[in-house]
Amino acid sequence: MEIVNLNLGEHSYAIHIGAGLLSDERLLNQEVTGASVFIVTSESIAPLYLAKLQAAFREHRVDTFVLPDGESQKNLSSYESIVGELLTKRHNRATTLIALGGGVIGDVTGYVAATYQRGVNFIQIPTTLLSQVDSSVGGKTAVNHPLGKNMVGAFYQPKAVYIDTDTLQTLPDRELSSGLAEVIKHGVLADGEYFSSIEQEMTALRSLQPESMARTIRRSCEIKASIVAQDEKETGVRALLNLGHTFGHAIEHLMGYGAWLHGEAVGTGLVMAADLSSRLGRITQSDAKRIKNVVASAGLPTCPPLTLSVDDFIESMQVDKKTTDDGLRFILINDIGVADLVTDVDEAKLRETLLARESLAEN
Ligand SMILES: NC(=O)c1ccc[n+]([C@@H]2O[C@H](COP(=O)([O-])OP(=O)(O)OC[C@H]3O[C@@H](n4cnc5c(N)ncnc54)[C@H](O)[C@@H]3O)[C@@H](O)[C@H]2O)c1
Ligand SMILES: [Zn+2]
């Protein structure tokens, strides 16, 4: 088993990574302090893993809550249903909430944990690659509002994260590729050597070769943990984790949420950020091509839909911009392994990248 520590003072916790952790009763009980646990999961995960997890808490009162699958469930109504069930079953402040599932389950359960009776013990058991390397690390919790994604939420750190790499065996290929986009992102923004190893091991990763996968999850968690440790509330360096996301969010938004998986949009967003970085003279064309090739080899799209116009894109990115007071801001690449937050990007160069979309699909 591998352990990555997230150092956040009194909010510090360990991320445990290994095969078969869902059967490790002793480990799973380490951070459970009260007499009851409440597990939240989804319809497709429950038949696969819920009984196994429940068995680890034989000594406790265990209640479970199963949500339908999908991003559309990450809303205030799910939040209210979970809180209602906690109250009906008389869970008090000593209870432990456990999220068993992907980022949707992790985000909504985390927000309930942050607010139920002003905050209760929280444990994450992420079961998608994306949630293992990204959403379960760093304490962002949220639900969506009809007027915007993740608009209601809190920073709330779990007491522990348990990543059972065996759970990836049942994950659909498309979801695996989606998680690989965030893995590639970590290499591009923080560690050139890691990027090279991802390039070399892509086939092993896509076939879930255990050592390769465990090493990759560990390195991605380390990178995210070290950035979050420097900037828990995203006032500075944590923004680098948004590499590829300004373009990616525009694709998700313009296509309608759900049409493209988040990681698919981020993969294409990375290719576009690399193209813009090379047009601005920050990286070579051959480095931009390396990034495009690794995104393609992960089974991800490299080109946004040609039906989207340049103006639609720019307008959508302006909306994204409203989250800050700066001008149009991007995370750009200075070298493979080094990224930088750049404000006031030259709009003419941005238009060039958007106009060159077709060439991004070519080899
Ligand atoms: N909190 C953060 O920092 C953060 C970061 C990135 C993304 N997110 C959020 O995460 C969400 C996306 O998460 P996701 O990509 O994990 O999607 P998801 O939670 O929707 O899971 C994808 C699908 O895979 C199924 N599934 C999950 N694990 C499985 C398994 N082991 N076997 C078979 N099927 C399985 C799920 O039921 C679901 O249908 C978005 O809401 C996004 O906003 C949050
Ligand atoms: Zn992301």
Side-chain angles (χ1 to χ4, degrees), residues 188 220 234 250 290:
V188 176
S220 269
E234 194 166 329
R290 260 180 93 191

Side-chain angles (χ1 to χ4, degrees), residues 42 44-45 48-49 69 99-107 124-137 161-172 174-180 182-183 208 213 217 221 261-263:
S42 80
S44 64
I45 299 159
L48 297 169
Y49 305 113
D69 285 288
L100 171 69
V104 166
I105 294 296
D107 279 12
Q124 289 250 39
I125 306 185
T127 61
T128 61
L129 180 60
L130 187 132
S131 58
Q132 294 175 350
V133 298
D134 193 355
S135 64
S136 70
V137 184
V161 177
Y162 302 113
I163 299 177
D164 184 340
T165 50
D166 286 347
T167 58
L168 295 176
Q169 280 162 14
T170 54
L171 190 69
R174 201 176 154 200
E175 299 287 350
L176 185 73
S177 292
S178 180
L180 285 169
E182 304 284 1
V183 164
L208 302 177
M213 190 48 97
I217 293 172
C221 287
L261 295 182
H262 176 69

Side-chain angles (χ1 to χ4, degrees), residues 27 44 66 83 173 200 255 259-260 276 287 318:
L27 177 71
S44 64
V66 181
V83 169
D173 278 347
Q200 284 153 23
M255 295 307 289
W260 280 47
L276 180 57
D287 279 343
Q318 306 267 355

Side-chain angles (χ1 to χ4, degrees), residues 327-339:
L328 206 49
R329 57 178 223 164
F330 283 90
I331 312 299
L332 294 175
I333 306 159
N334 290 349
D335 193 358
I336 292 187
V338 187

